[in-house]
Amino acid sequence: QVHLTESGGGSVQAGGSLRLSCAASGYTHDNYCRGWFRQAPGKEREGVATIDSDGITVYADSVKGRFTISQDNAKNTLYLQMNSLKPEDTAMYYCAADLTGTTGDFCFTLYNELDAWGQGTLVTVSS
């Protein structure tokens, strides 16, 4: 059974940094497309950053240059380094993965078809 467990969320002031982690069990992070998504109160879920099986990354325009997705294969953990945080980054952040290749290299936009989701970790950025 696949489990994705996020950690690293918290409350920071604008301009601060956080690193989110997504530890996986029952699944290997480099198989198919996987990444980070977020949902702010009253808003729809959106893609933040994803990485596909070839290591190609996709970022939301709003986080380009500030966020970096990476992974540690030995630890089977996916990371999201978030720098220069803004109040508009406040959201619940979720790790998710395609377990079967359904989304190809397009899980950034096809996130509704992703098979596995973590429980989320809350990020709050104050001004």
Side-chain angles (χ1 to χ4, degrees):
Q1 191 170 0
V2 175
H3 291 285
L4 301 177
T5 305
E6 302 99 333
S7 60
S11 297
V12 296
Q13 290 191 326
S17 298
L18 286 172
R19 188 177 79 157
L20 306 183
S21 299
C22 174
S25 61
Y27 158 78
T28 300
H29 262 311
D30 62 353
N31 283 352
Y32 298 112
C33 193
R34 62 279 183 201
W36 293 92
F37 304 83
R38 67 186 180 187
Q39 187 165 19
K43 295 188 177 181
E44 292 188 357
R45 189 169 295 187
E46 63 177 359
V48 177
T50 60
I51 183 168
D52 68 19
S53 57
D54 295 320
I56 296 173
T57 56
V58 178
Y59 292 93
D61 288 342
S62 60
V63 307
K64 283 180 181 176
R66 300 188 298 121
F67 291 12
T68 303
I69 187 171
S70 64
Q71 67 181 44
D72 184 329
N73 290 337
K75 296 181 179 180
N76 203 21
T77 299
L78 190 70
Y79 300 101
L80 184 68
Q81 178 66 44
M82 305 187 295
N83 299 327
S84 302
L85 283 161
K86 304 176 179 180
E88 51 264 43
D89 295 319
T90 295
M92 185 71 80
Y93 283 72
Y94 299 90
C95 169
D98 180 353
L99 305 182
T100 59
T102 301
T103 62
D105 298 328
F106 305 103
C107 65
F108 184 88
T109 53
L110 299 178
Y111 55 85
N112 287 325
E113 299 184 29
L114 293 175
D115 309 279
W117 289 82
Q119 82 287 350
T121 186
L122 182 62
V123 172
T124 303
V125 184
S126 58
S127 57

